[in-house]
């Protein structure tokens, strides 16, 4: 590996989001059956959608939390949600919030099991509301927010329960879906010690017939999303002092959970030729706290980008990313903020030497914290039980045959297209088993 390439890695702090492509010699005849037992404990389920009250457009990644608890979930890309609440909680309040909108409190007793329609109003911030004493230097505000992570974010070890999903699409068609419930042993934000992750449950569904005789695998699993937590891992975006390579400027102001938030745009200076990032940082004015970040990698050299993200491929295939995008959202409780949700998108092209047209694929990984508790004794999973950063989740998961697999655990509701793809694959599996004379379990 060249010294120039190593310097690029150190400079951009690239996240561990990588793919591997393998030529398939044979196709699998069916998916393995899920043998996990359903989760213990009863929970009420509430389904519905969250949308903009004026435009009626769905609100993607809106958060629903049960007030007074650590239970939460998030809407999918169609604005739909599934919230599971333990049966012993009967008179709680669900807080629905979304970036730049007024939050809404809904009594749990007024929610129906299905078809809950929740609308939110855009939060308009009048110019007079902006504090005249607010910082005028955008770069200084970003640096202060990073410096205060030990004051504004969780300062105790925390055990988080999270739902993780990764999908692979060929153009618009889903070809692979893997999901997992994981335990995150989160260390304090002031600590340099990295978080540990433990796999609790996992399942997958793959339609290999749409993969052009190529099996695509995403390496890193939940770590792809966990390391998007900028406040815990600033080195993955502002590495080795590269924060000085960016231009920061105030874009606009908004309100998040009734807090005044400045939106700061950032991009690399034109004189910087290495591929860095550009995007928006959402910073709470009063507390100098990062509440969200949305950004992309500036892909200027496709060959360099390919070396950053592609770990393995067949000799006669060229593959390179065309878009790499990240998002992270934080939640607040008791005056402290914590990692709540993140997603990563990698879109890339696969060009076969002997084919006229190339294929376009996208890989998405997302993770939402659905519950947490303080881990005051600092307990960590045994080394052999921890996920490795090289994990390929689709090789750890086994199938979609158990409808009660997730039990009381909150998940991100699947998109309709994903649900349809799963049902289709399940039908193919049943037909294959019937043809082979074996009954489904």
């Amino acid at each position: 590996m060249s010294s120039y390439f190593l310097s690029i890695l150190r400079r951009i702090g690239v996240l561990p989001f990588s793919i591997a492509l393998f030529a398939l010699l044979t196709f699998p005849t069916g998916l393995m059956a899920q043998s996990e037992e359903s989760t213990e404990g009863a929970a009420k389920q509430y389904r519905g959608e969250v949308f903009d009250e004026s435009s009626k457009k769905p609100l993607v990644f809106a958060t629903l939390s049960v007030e007074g608890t650590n239970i939460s979930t998030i809407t999918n890309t169609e604005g739909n949600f599934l919230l599971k609440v333990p049966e012993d909680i009967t008179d709680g309040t669900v807080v629905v919030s979304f970036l730049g909108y007024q939050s809404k409190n809904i009594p749990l007793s007024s929610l129906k099991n299905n078809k809950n329609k929740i609308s939110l109003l855009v939060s308009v911030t009048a110019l007079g509301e902006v504090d005249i004493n607010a910082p005028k230097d955008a770069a200084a505000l970003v640096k202060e927010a990073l410096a205060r992570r030990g004051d504004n974010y969780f300062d105790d070890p925390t055990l988080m329960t999270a739902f993780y999903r990764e999908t692979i699409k060929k153009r618009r068609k889903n070809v692979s879906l893997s999901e997992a419930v994981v335990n995150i042993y989160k260390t304090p934000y002031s600590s340099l010690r990295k978080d540990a992750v433990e796999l609790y449950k996992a399942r997958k569904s793959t339609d290999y017939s749409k993969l052009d005789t190529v099996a695509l695998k995403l390496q890193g699993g939940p770590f792809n999303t966990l390391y998007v937590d900028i406040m815990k891992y600033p080195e993955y975006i502002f590495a080795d002092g590269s924060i000085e390579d960016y231009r920061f400027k105030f874009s606009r102001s908004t309100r998040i959970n009734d807090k005044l938030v400045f939106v700061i745009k950032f991009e690399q200076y034109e004189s910087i030729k290495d591929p860095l990032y550009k995007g928006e940082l959402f910073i709470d004015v009063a507390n100098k706290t990062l509440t969200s970040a949305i950004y992309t990698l500036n892909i200027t050299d496709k060959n360099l980008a390919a070396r950053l993200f592609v770990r393995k491929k067949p000799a006669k295939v060229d593959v390179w990313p065309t878009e790499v995008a990240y998002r992270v959202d934080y939640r607040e409780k008791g005056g402290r903020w914590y990692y709540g949700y993140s997603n990563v998108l990698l879109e890339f092209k696969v060009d076969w030497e002997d084919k006229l047209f190339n294929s376009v694929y996208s890989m998405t990984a997302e993770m939402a914290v659905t519950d947490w508790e303080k881990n005051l004794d600092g307990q960590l999973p045994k080394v052999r039980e921890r996920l490795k950063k090289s994990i390929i989740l689709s090789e750890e998961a086994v199938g979609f045959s158990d409808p009660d697999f997730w039990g009381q655990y909150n998940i991100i509701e699947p998109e309709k297209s994903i649900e349809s793809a799963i049902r289709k694959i399940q039908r193919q599996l049943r037909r294959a088993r019937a043809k082979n004379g074996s009954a489904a379990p």
Side-chain angles (χ1 to χ4, degrees), residues 171-222:
R171 297 195 185 275
R172 296 183 178 179
K173 292 185 177 180
N174 291 287
V175 294
S176 179
L177 168 67
S178 300
E179 299 178 329
V181 169
V182 297
N183 296 322
I184 304 173
Y185 292 78
K186 198 81 172 154
T187 59
Y189 276 78
S190 57
S191 170
L192 296 177
R193 189 173 185 177
K194 293 188 180 295
D195 304 324
V197 181
E198 179 183 34
L199 181 65
Y200 182 63
K201 290 184 179 241
R203 63 182 183 177
K204 71 172 181 181
S205 178
T206 305
D207 186 353
Y208 286 99
S209 66
K210 293 187 175 69
L211 288 177
D212 285 344
T213 69
V214 172
L216 296 95
K217 298 179 180 181
L218 175 63
Q219 188 175 24

Side-chain angles (χ1 to χ4, degrees), residues 125-136:
T125 304
L127 292 177
E129 293 185 57
V130 179
D131 188 347
I132 60 173
N133 295 317
K136 302 300 188 292

Side-chain angles (χ1 to χ4, degrees), residues 293-304:
I294 302 172
Y295 55 103
T296 60
L297 179 66
N298 183 18
I299 299 176
T300 55
D301 184 330
K302 75 174 188 179
N303 294 320
L304 175 58

Side-chain angles (χ1 to χ4, degrees), residues 49 59 63 83 106 137-138 317 384 392 397 405:
E49 60 178 320
L59 296 182
T63 298
L83 177 65
I106 302 174
D137 185 334
V317 177
R384 66 175 179 272
I392 297 176
F405 179 72

Side-chain angles (χ1 to χ4, degrees), residues 88-101:
D88 57 352
I89 299 177
T90 58
D91 58 352
T93 299
V94 176
V95 181
V96 186
S97 58
F98 184 74
L99 201 65
Y101 283 71

Side-chain angles (χ1 to χ4, degrees), residues 158-438:
T158 309
L159 176 58
M160 295 178 166
T161 300
F163 174 77
Y164 173 77
R165 171 185 291 154
E166 58 187 45
T167 59
I168 301 176
K169 290 184 180 182
K170 180 184 177 183
R171 297 195 185 275
R172 296 183 178 179
K173 292 185 177 180
N174 291 287
V175 294
S176 179
L177 168 67
S178 300
E179 299 178 329
V181 169
V182 297
N183 296 322
I184 304 173
Y185 292 78
K186 198 81 172 154
T187 59
Y189 276 78
S190 57
S191 170
L192 296 177
R193 189 173 185 177
K194 293 188 180 295
D195 304 324
V197 181
E198 179 183 34
L199 181 65
Y200 182 63
K201 290 184 179 241
R203 63 182 183 177
K204 71 172 181 181
S205 178
T206 305
D207 186 353
Y208 286 99
S209 66
K210 293 187 175 69
L211 288 177
D212 285 344
T213 69
V214 172
L216 296 95
K217 298 179 180 181
L218 175 63
Q219 188 175 24
F223 291 100
N224 291 311
T225 48
L226 184 61
Y227 289 162
V228 183
D229 181 356
I230 292 177
M231 299 310 297
K232 177 63 178 174
Y233 302 101
E235 65 271 19
Y236 285 121
I237 180 172
F238 301 124
D240 287 350
S242 65
I243 194 170
E244 303 299 336
D245 296 334
Y246 290 98
R247 176 191 295 109
F248 297 91
K249 62 180 180 180
F250 293 107
S251 172
R252 63 188 186 280
S253 60
T254 184
R255 284 195 171 271
I256 301 176
N257 295 337
D258 298 323
K259 300 178 184 294
L260 182 62
V261 171
F262 278 168
V263 183
I264 297 177
K265 284 189 175 183
F266 68 98
E267 60 184 355
Q268 66 188 84
Y269 286 108
E270 292 80 359
S271 59
I272 305 298
K273 302 304 180 184
D274 297 337
L276 300 181
Y277 300 96
K278 62 179 178 180
E280 294 183 328
L281 304 174
F282 297 76
I283 298 182
D284 181 330
V285 176
N287 300 310
K288 312 300 187 294
T289 305
L290 181 73
T291 63
S292 296
I294 302 172
Y295 55 103
T296 60
L297 179 66
N298 183 18
I299 299 176
T300 55
D301 184 330
K302 75 174 188 179
N303 294 320
L304 175 58
R307 294 181 67 187
L308 290 172
F309 292 97
V310 181
R311 293 290 178 264
K312 189 180 295 186
K313 67 179 182 65
K316 294 185 177 181
V317 177
D318 285 330
V319 55
W320 65 93
T322 57
E323 180 181 3
V324 183
Y326 307 90
R327 176 184 180 127
V328 61
D329 295 327
Y330 296 90
R331 299 170 187 160
E332 183 266 342
K333 185 175 182 182
R336 293 274 183 171
W337 292 77
Y338 64 97
Y339 163 76
Y341 173 81
S342 63
N343 68 34
V344 187
L345 166 69
L346 175 63
E347 185 177 275
F348 58 95
K349 289 186 178 180
V350 177
D351 188 11
W352 284 88
E353 185 178 296
D354 55 354
K355 289 188 178 181
L356 181 61
F357 301 103
N358 55 33
S359 300
V360 178
Y361 290 90
S362 62
M363 306 181 86
T364 304
E366 60 181 335
M367 186 159 66
V369 172
T370 59
D371 203 353
W372 59 267
E373 61 184 11
K374 289 186 177 182
N375 184 19
L376 296 180
D377 60 1
Q379 181 180 358
L380 293 172
K382 296 178 180 178
V383 174
R384 66 175 179 272
E385 296 173 349
R386 301 182 192 184
L387 288 185
K388 296 181 179 179
K389 298 178 182 65
S390 58
I391 183 178
I392 297 176
L393 180 63
S394 60
E395 295 181 349
E396 303 291 329
V398 290
F400 268 89
S401 64
D402 184 356
D404 298 320
F405 179 72
W406 299 119
Q408 65 180 347
Y409 288 97
N410 274 295
I411 65 171
I412 304 171
E413 186 79 335
E415 289 82 357
K416 291 184 177 66
S417 58
I418 291 178
E419 289 180 322
S420 300
I422 293 170
R423 287 195 294 268
K424 181 179 179 181
I425 294 171
Q426 286 176 327
R427 288 196 298 270
Q428 292 172 340
L429 176 58
R430 286 194 293 269
R431 285 196 293 267
R433 283 180 174 148
K435 185 177 180 180
N436 295 331
S438 61

